[in-house]
Amino acid sequence: MKTFTCKWLATLALLVLCSTSLSAKTPKYIFFCIGDGMSFSHVLATQLYYEHGNYKAGNESIAFLDFPVHSAVRTHANNSLITCSAAAATALATGHKTNIDHVGISPDKKPLTSIAKQLRDKGYAIGLVTSGQIDDATPAAFYASQMRKEAYLIGKEGADSQFDFLAGSALKQPYAPSQPSLYDYYRQQGYTICRGIDGYNANRATGKMLLLDTDTASRSWLPYAIDREPEAMGLEFMVQAGIDKLYREKGKKGFFMMIEGASIDHASHPDDLVTAIFETAEFDRSVRIAYEFYKKHPDETLIIVTADHETGGLTMGETNMRPFYWEYVNYQTLSKESLSDLFRSLKKNGQVDSWEKARKVLADHTGLWTKIPVNAGEEAALMQCYYRTVIQKSKEQEVTLYAQTEPLVAQAIALLDKKIGVAWSSTSHTGGFVPFYAIGCEATRFATVGNNTDIPQTIRKIMKIK
């Protein structure tokens, strides 16, 4: 009897295994969405902002919070607890840990192969979309094998990748001594270069495409959502354009699209909460576009959402039980960077030659005083900063990774963040866990991911890539 029971259990286990194997399905469409610098706190701050009535109709909650698979992911680099974007992106793209500033290469600088390249070789159309530069660390790790400083060579490898759709703000270093322009090189490799919405619409029927911003002078990220003109190209448009283009590639087995919300990180380095929330919200709307596609192809689509690392050490709450005031988010009208540029220009032209004039500029763009109470001590601290930096003409600036900010603007934005109810512990990356969400075909296979390298390795298993 015991022998029979053991054989019966073994047979049952084999049947279950075979059934699982037979029922396993390879996704036809894969979206790999990366919120650069996006922590659990960034997600929560944006969700709380939504819950106070700040959302488009039908978007009452962040889309990916309702995805059935949730996890937390470690992000450390091979040689550092706190990663950089290059090492983190390499882990997400290739499934291997590497050192700081290594893009698509191992610690001993040997090339690593990304899942995007492997899927390309299996016959899938490939798209990379970012609100930053298309040859910056995150997208670059999916096609390049270089040290991060080699921007021209990284850009060249983008053209060599023969990926079907590349979209971002700009090329970081399109020119190099005694080398062809990268714009010419992309054209030689069969790419049509388009700029902005009109450029895309005029060339949407072409083959391989490099879609860039209309601003040819800038080589940074797209303007922040809070600063951008309504008719300008943003991440949402690029994602929709990419889906439309990749889906039309009927000769391919399906498509893989990497979507990066690059400016969540850019806004978090200078501790600019409102701008970071607006960038996270745009990232959410972009993921929602992928989710709408998923609803039309639920048995064939996999959506993954995560981050490369946390930026800024954002904390919900300060040192006591202050209430939150999420409505204050609406009163900031410019990013910290743009407000600093404006104030610097006004200072240069002598248009803030009194505290009253300077306070009005801050009030107009942050809501301080006019809509948000400022006590005598807080105003006195701002006045001292004004006296030191404007009247005494101190040259000091708040310096973070991507920006130099006027001290008075930095202090006003910090006060606004405090009034909202949040705090920052850093102006750089931190070593904290980042969120992970998934939905769709074979999403349950990601339920146990705990390290960023697990994500591409799991995709490989699902797609039967060795």
Side-chain angles (χ1 to χ4, degrees):
M1 184 67 180
K2 185 177 179 181
T3 302
F4 173 79
T5 302
C6 289
K7 287 182 178 180
W8 182 84
L9 288 172
T11 302
L12 179 62
L14 182 61
L15 287 171
V16 169
L17 181 63
C18 292
S19 174
T20 302
S21 177
L22 289 172
S23 65
K25 189 172 181 180
T26 300
K28 187 174 182 180
Y29 310 109
I30 302 174
F31 295 91
F32 194 166
C33 309
I34 303 170
D36 195 322
M38 184 182 74
S39 67
F40 285 100
S41 290
H42 286 85
V43 175
L44 178 57
T46 307
Q47 176 63 22
L48 290 168
Y49 178 63
Y50 283 7
E51 289 176 4
H52 285 75
N54 303 290
Y55 53 81
K56 290 184 177 180
N59 295 18
E60 291 82 358
S61 175
I62 290 177
F64 47 83
L65 285 180
D66 294 327
F67 287 6
V69 176
H70 292 222
S71 187
V73 173
R74 288 192 67 185
T75 64
H76 63 279
N78 178 67
N79 62 341
S80 175
L81 173 63
I82 300 175
T83 190
C84 72
S85 291
T90 299
L92 291 172
T94 72
H96 297 278
K97 294 286 187 182
T98 194
N99 291 351
I100 299 298
D101 290 335
H102 288 47
V103 178
I105 52 177
S106 64
D108 57 359
K109 299 185 180 180
K110 293 181 180 178
L112 298 169
T113 303
S114 75
I115 52 170
K117 283 187 173 181
Q118 291 174 312
L119 288 168
R120 174 202 62 191
D121 294 344
K122 284 177 67 73
Y124 285 76
I126 306 297
L128 305 179
V129 178
T130 175
S131 55
Q133 297 147 317
I134 193 60
D135 47 3
D136 203 2
T138 300
F142 287 85
Y143 60 74
S145 298
Q146 299 287 343
M147 292 299 293
R148 189 176 186 178
K149 65 182 179 180
E150 301 291 350
Y152 179 85
L153 295 177
I154 288 172
K156 194 167 183 284
E157 287 197 54
D160 293 337
S161 74
Q162 294 295 292
F163 289 172
D164 302 84
F165 183 76
L166 302 173
S169 61
L171 291 170
K172 184 179 289 188
Q173 187 183 329
Y175 307 105
S178 304
Q179 296 293 329
S181 155
L182 283 185
Y183 300 115
D184 291 339
Y185 189 74
Y186 269 86
R187 293 186 183 98
Q188 291 167 10
Q189 296 302 105
Y191 283 85
T192 298
I193 300 176
C194 307
R195 289 195 174 274
I197 294 172
D198 291 342
Y200 171 80
N201 289 333
N203 295 278
R204 60 195 308 162
T206 60
K208 297 186 296 295
M209 180 180 289
L210 173 63
L211 176 61
L212 303 174
D213 191 20
T214 54
D215 184 355
T216 57
S218 173
R219 297 199 184 104
S220 60
W221 53 92
L222 293 177
Y224 287 123
I226 193 173
D227 297 330
R228 194 184 307 142
E229 295 297 328
E231 67 276 7
M233 183 174 74
L235 185 62
E236 293 167 83
F237 176 84
M238 292 190 293
V239 169
Q240 187 61 65
I243 291 173
D244 293 345
K245 188 158 186 61
L246 297 178
Y247 188 65
R248 289 199 305 269
E249 296 286 343
K250 297 300 183 183
K252 301 294 180 74
K253 290 183 179 179
F255 67 71
F256 169 92
M257 179 184 285
M258 189 284 296
I259 301 168
E260 183 199 18
S263 294
I264 302 169
D265 173 72
H266 299 149
S268 298
H269 276 286
D271 296 348
D272 185 353
L273 174 72
V274 174
T275 302
I277 286 176
F278 281 30
E279 292 301 318
T280 307
E282 182 178 52
F283 178 68
D284 167 50
R285 293 192 300 272
S286 301
V287 174
R288 192 177 295 273
I289 292 170
Y291 181 59
E292 290 302 317
F293 181 90
Y294 155 81
K295 289 194 289 187
K296 296 175 184 175
H297 310 275
D299 297 327
E300 300 177 299
T301 305
L302 170 66
I303 304 176
I304 295 164
V305 180
T306 191
D308 53 351
H309 52 73
E310 194 278 344
T311 303
L314 178 61
T315 304
M316 296 295 100
E318 288 193 292
T319 56
N320 55 35
M321 299 299 290
R322 290 174 179 266
F324 291 95
Y325 292 97
W326 293 103
E327 65 272 22
Y328 291 176
V329 172
N330 293 303
Y331 304 147
Q332 184 175 326
T333 63
L334 293 172
S335 67
K336 184 177 179 180
E337 181 179 344
S338 291
L339 181 54
S340 182
D341 289 342
L342 172 63
F343 193 85
R344 190 177 292 120
S345 175
L346 294 173
K347 185 172 72 170
K348 182 178 179 180
N349 296 326
Q351 294 174 266
V352 286
D353 55 358
S354 69
W355 168 242
E356 289 72 21
K357 291 179 182 178
R359 184 175 67 178
K360 185 177 186 307
V361 173
L362 298 177
D364 288 346
H365 296 289
T366 65
L368 293 170
W369 293 283
T370 56
K371 298 175 181 176
I372 303 170
V374 177
N375 64 39
E378 291 163 343
E379 181 164 0
L382 290 166
M383 289 176 68
Q384 289 175 357
C385 183
Y386 169 82
Y387 181 77
R388 185 177 69 252
T389 59
V390 179
I391 304 302
Q392 293 186 325
K393 301 185 185 305
S394 167
K395 300 295 185 183
E396 67 183 274
Q397 294 282 294
E398 180 193 76
V399 179
T400 54
L401 183 60
Y402 296 110
Q404 292 191 21
T405 307
E406 282 289 315
L408 183 59
V409 171
Q411 195 164 321
I413 294 297
L415 178 59
L416 173 60
D417 288 358
K418 181 178 179 181
K419 296 284 186 179
I420 292 168
V422 306
W424 301 84
S425 67
S426 174
T427 57
S428 189
H429 301 171
T430 70
F433 282 91
V434 297
F436 176 90
Y437 311 90
I439 192 172
C441 180
E442 296 295 297
T444 55
R445 299 276 289 273
F446 295 89
T448 59
V449 297
N451 211 313
N452 51 12
T453 54
D454 295 339
I455 300 169
Q457 297 293 15
T458 303
I459 294 174
R460 286 191 174 105
K461 291 175 184 176
I462 293 169
M463 303 303 292
K464 300 176 176 60
I465 296 172
K466 295 183 180 180

